[in-house]
Amino acid sequence: MCVNLDTHIRMAVKFYLEKRLSKQGEAPIRCSIMIQGKRLLTTTGYSIAPDFWNSEAQKVLLSAEGKSVVNFKGIKAKVINAYLKRIDSFFSDLENELLNNDGDIGDIKKIFSTEFGKSGRHLDNDEEQKEFFDYFDEFTAEMGKQNDWTAATHEKFHALKNHIKDFSDEVTFESFDEKGLVDFVEFLRNKLDMKNSTIGKQLGFLKWFLKWANAKGYNQETAYRSFSPKLKATEKAVVFLDWDELMKVYKYEFPEVGTTLKLKDINGKEYEKRVNLEKSTLERVRDVFCFCCFTSLRYSDVANLKRANVFPDHIKITTIKTADALKIELNKYAAAILKKYEDKAFPYEKVLPVVSNQRMNEYLKEMAEIIGFNDPVTVTYYKGNQRIDEVYPKWQMIGTHTGRRTFICNALMLGIAPQIVMKWTGHSDYKAMKPYIDIADRAKADAMKLFDR
């Protein structure tokens, strides 16, 4: 049962101040109403200086530091408190009535509007209408603009929004208490069949939003701060081409479309493969891919590379993903690829024949299968405590991202210092480079064993 404003325990109604202050140093008094699992967040229409707010009693103090409080166009504390008490009493009585009669609350927003919206004091209609996903949209709009999110980042948060909607049709900030967070993790694992690593990313995005909402004064639930479930995970396999494989791709003579090849799968069993792409298409895809392998460029950057970025012995770019300004010297392989296309005209003054990322990934797998990259690659991941190992032929694991990884791994194995490699790639610390450095160290150890044969 909900009690009056002078007690510390309440169920149906809670009042609190927003953390944002107006130019006059006042914060809006907000109201949270929760009945039968349904919640309404709205403003009371009053604002006060935080010094005059008693957060435990959830009411306005009559004075603070000897000063008499006058708020919101001369309205005094006792008038504001009386209005808050009226809201509290109305919804407390309504909750008790519904409990006694086994009734349904229906639309809290409509009830509040009927009882307090028109006759209440200075209600902010925009604030009154806001619910959980309205705040989520405000968050993505604000953070997207502030951090210059890419379309891919916006898509990630759009996916999270859909996951939360699937989790609960009537989600509120209070839904994400400790139990709610545990339930959300279970939902992602059992209903959406996510890997632990993916769940960890979704939780990270959700915590970012909840922290933002807490700072804004929208979210009073802080269980997210200490929530850190144990999610077993392994490092993602780094798939790259060693130097011999890269040279094989660089020099490969592709067969004509329609040719039937005899290949072997990961178990050594022979099968037939029909070439589905024109020779010229495969060559262009190979050249763009190899250019990434010889320069460290991401797909987005090679797709955006223009003639103005190319100089006789280097290229200068500002990367799409991180906005790093990079100067990358051209080795003979990268220079030869640029020269091959220097007399070709491509849209928007681009220097290479780049297709869409989706097609590029499809074509690269076709290319890698034709060349015969069928070594087994094991992918290990966890779902809950269950370890899952899946084995794929290497050609299935090759995509546009493989080019950048190939550059880094080969550069390190050639003995180029990590700090020099980082100048080309734009990495700012060793953390992101560590998986590649580990690969180079293992390669050196394997090479040393050749002396023992």
Side-chain angles (χ1 to χ4, degrees), residues 309-316 326-330 338:
N309 302 122
V310 178
F311 298 86
D313 61 349
H314 68 277
I315 57 176
K316 283 186 176 180
L326 302 179
K327 176 184 177 182
I328 303 173
E329 286 73 20
L330 294 171
L338 288 176

Side-chain angles (χ1 to χ4, degrees), residues 214-389:
N214 181 251
K216 293 284 188 179
Y218 305 147
N219 172 30
Q220 304 301 307
E221 177 56 67
T222 59
Y224 70 89
R225 293 177 180 172
S226 58
F227 185 71
S228 183
K230 292 183 178 179
L231 298 169
K232 287 186 178 180
T234 60
E235 288 188 1
K236 190 174 181 180
V238 178
V239 178
F240 69 100
L241 303 183
D242 63 30
W243 186 257
D244 290 339
E245 290 173 325
L246 177 54
M247 286 295 101
K248 187 174 182 179
V249 174
Y250 183 70
K251 298 174 181 178
Y252 196 81
E253 286 293 330
F254 292 102
E256 297 292 339
V257 65
T259 302
T260 299
L261 305 174
K262 290 186 177 181
L263 305 172
K264 291 183 179 181
D265 62 19
I266 56 177
N267 299 311
K269 185 177 179 180
E270 194 172 83
Y271 70 98
E272 290 187 346
K273 162 71 178 177
R274 183 184 185 276
V275 178
N276 297 310
L277 294 175
E278 294 285 348
K279 182 177 180 179
S280 58
T281 299
L282 287 167
E283 288 177 349
R284 289 195 296 270
V285 168
R286 181 264 310 280
D287 290 343
V288 173
F289 174 72
C290 283
F291 191 78
C292 293
C293 293
F294 292 125
T295 61
S296 84
L297 289 185
R298 299 181 181 89
Y299 165 82
S300 57
D301 295 320
V302 76
N304 194 51
L305 192 66
K306 297 179 175 61
R307 298 194 183 279
N309 302 122
V310 178
F311 298 86
D313 61 349
H314 68 277
I315 57 176
K316 283 186 176 180
I317 61 164
T318 299
T319 60
I320 299 294
K321 182 177 181 180
T322 58
D324 292 317
L326 302 179
K327 176 184 177 182
I328 303 173
E329 286 73 20
L330 294 171
N331 52 51
K332 67 178 183 179
Y333 302 103
I337 293 171
L338 288 176
K339 186 169 182 60
K340 180 177 178 178
Y341 294 97
E342 66 180 356
D343 294 328
K344 305 290 185 182
F346 301 115
Y348 309 109
E349 288 294 305
K350 294 183 179 181
V351 298
L352 293 173
V354 183
V355 296
S356 70
N357 194 24
Q358 181 179 350
R359 284 190 179 181
M360 184 79 172
N361 280 314
E362 292 174 1
Y363 295 170
L364 283 174
K365 287 174 174 56
E366 172 91 356
M367 176 199 79
E369 185 180 12
I370 290 170
I371 294 174
F373 293 143
N374 63 349
D375 291 341
V377 175
T378 301
V379 176
T380 301
Y381 60 91
Y382 284 86
K383 286 186 177 179
N385 290 320
Q386 181 186 8
R387 173 181 168 135
I388 300 172
D389 295 298

Side-chain angles (χ1 to χ4, degrees), residues 131-149:
E131 296 180 345
F132 182 90
F133 290 112
D134 296 314
Y135 293 117
F136 192 93
D137 292 341
E138 181 183 336
F139 163 76
T140 55
E142 181 177 314
M143 290 296 100
K145 185 176 181 180
Q146 180 176 313
N147 297 291
D148 196 21
W149 282 0

Side-chain angles (χ1 to χ4, degrees), residues 20-55:
R20 294 184 298 176
L21 299 180
S22 68
K23 293 180 180 178
Q24 292 74 33
E26 296 182 344
I29 303 174
R30 293 184 60 81
C31 176
S32 170
I33 303 169
M34 172 73 82
I35 298 177
Q36 295 180 340
K38 297 180 180 179
R39 186 191 188 203
L40 173 67
L41 282 175
T42 186
T43 180
T44 62
Y46 292 110
S47 296
I48 63 165
D51 288 345
F52 292 107
W53 180 249
N54 185 325
S55 58

